[in-house]
Amino acid sequence: MKIPKSHPRYLSLTAREKIAKGVEDGITSLAGLAAHGRGEAFDYLLGEKTTKPAGESIEAAAAMMLLAKSLVISVNGNTAALIPEEIAELSKIINARLEVNIFHSSKKREIKIKGHLLKHNAKEVLLPKKSAKIRFISSNRRYVNPGGILKADVVFVPLEDGDRTEALVKNRKKVIVVELNPLSRSAQKATITICDNVIRAVPLLTKTIRQYKIYSKTRLQKVIKGYNNKKILKEALKNISRNLAK
Ligand code: ATP
Ligand code: MG
């Protein structure tokens, strides 16, 4: 469907088209459609813009990613359908490895996601292996790549589910999530929660990393020290109630 640029819901409608195409192409799961819908609802409540607290989370995330020893970006079917190029670009400027991880187990879909990312300029994409797994989780998502998430100290997981966020944290990893719903378990369990749409947050993160690249280690550490995820989550909820009261 061709959506005219002048349509007041242009961005939201194009995102829907991309997710629907993702399902058609075998990249996104049907359940991913429902997850997207829940995200849309929270985006609406947040005013469909990057809020001030989300901006602070993006700054802390940029600092944490620049300080990481081994950084991995975990990609699922929704992220791959919505922002393949942006994710590929981010991985290149920060020297992060890309790894596919999906909830609804399917080798075929994992390979499709990998192909889709490579087509959109990703350099290399890792897949989970049955030989490596993280602890404290029993679903298909426990399998990881031995050279990727298994040994990573920082994992960036746009659009993560709560279970795995919690498991990754218990596996002593620092976890950065992008999650529109401040009440979800992933938002509550992550080390840094960016309460924003991945479509807006990822390009902003890339931009911030570019700016911070000249910062010293001490300066980056200071950015993280000054950050409080609990406070950010509270502010996101306050933003929502303010929008509702208006
Ligand atoms: P949890 O398991 O963490 O309690 P959940 O069950 O609500 O959360 P899932 O269904 O596992 O979450 O994943 C979907 C989550 O992704 C939703 O919370 C939704 O708000 C969020 N989401 C969907 N689309 C986007 C998007 N484009 N950007 C950011 N977040 C999104
Ligand atoms: Mg969930």
Side-chain angles (χ1 to χ4, degrees):
M1 187 177 82
K2 183 114 182 66
I3 302 156
K5 274 218 153 121
S6 57
H7 194 289
R9 308 212 55 75
Y10 177 76
L11 283 179
S12 158
L13 289 175
T14 41
R16 268 194 198 174
E17 287 290 306
K18 281 184 190 165
I19 282 284
K21 176 100 182 15
V23 175
E24 269 171 27
D25 294 344
I27 290 166
T28 310
S29 70
L30 268 178
L33 280 181
H36 182 79
R38 185 182 285 160
E40 277 185 341
F42 278 96
D43 206 9
Y44 207 101
L45 295 173
L46 282 163
E48 291 176 318
K49 58 173 195 289
T50 304
T51 59
K52 203 168 154 277
E56 278 178 49
S57 307
I58 288 171
E59 286 170 4
M64 189 171 275
M65 286 165 88
L66 282 164
L67 287 170
K69 289 190 191 75
S70 177
L71 173 69
V72 174
I73 302 173
S74 176
V75 187
N76 71 0
N78 284 47
T79 306
L82 289 173
I83 46 161
E85 241 149 53
E86 291 83 350
I87 281 288
E89 192 190 356
L90 173 66
S91 77
K92 282 187 216 162
I93 66 139
I94 191 79
N95 206 8
R97 313 194 80 177
L98 291 170
E99 181 169 332
V100 177
N101 193 281
I102 57 179
F103 185 72
H104 297 88
S105 165
S106 153
K107 235 323 96 350
K108 201 166 140 205
R109 197 153 66 83
E110 282 171 7
I111 291 164
K112 283 224 165 130
I113 293 174
K114 175 175 173 170
H116 188 65
L117 291 171
L118 292 174
K119 202 173 94 193
H120 287 90
N121 297 327
K123 227 168 43 196
E124 184 198 14
V125 180
L126 304 174
L127 294 184
K129 298 258 187 279
K130 291 279 177 211
S131 59
K133 53 187 179 199
I134 55 166
R135 295 185 302 150
F136 309 111
I137 185 162
S138 52
S139 72
N140 176 59
R141 308 199 79 170
R142 70 180 181 274
Y143 297 112
V144 291
N145 187 290
I149 290 175
L150 189 71
K151 60 163 206 193
D153 61 332
V154 179
V155 192
F156 176 55
V157 268
L159 278 180
E160 185 53 316
D161 76 347
D163 266 33
R164 185 154 168 269
T165 304
E166 195 173 4
L168 286 167
V169 169
K170 281 190 187 161
N171 280 269
R172 295 172 185 276
K173 301 187 188 297
K174 289 179 185 142
V175 182
I176 304 165
V177 300
V178 185
E179 166 60 76
L180 279 159
N181 173 6
L183 294 166
S184 80
R185 282 183 51 220
S186 39
Q188 302 281 335
K189 298 288 175 186
T191 319
I192 295 177
T193 308
I194 303 169
C195 265
D196 197 6
N197 198 316
V198 286
I199 300 170
R200 290 186 301 266
V202 171
L204 280 175
L205 185 57
T206 303
K207 195 175 148 201
T208 311
I209 288 168
R210 283 214 169 92
Q211 278 169 6
Y212 282 14
K213 267 197 164 170
I214 51 158
Y215 281 20
S216 68
K217 235 178 153 174
T218 327
R219 191 161 173 199
L220 292 172
Q221 277 157 351
K222 223 169 141 187
V223 174
I224 298 174
K225 261 218 167 109
Y227 179 80
N228 180 340
N229 208 49
K230 288 246 153 40
K231 190 191 106 200
I232 290 293
L233 289 172
K234 263 193 203 141
E235 282 175 19
L237 283 172
K238 265 192 215 151
N239 265 324
I240 290 178
S241 34
R242 234 180 278 134
N243 286 341
L244 284 170
K246 247 194 258 169

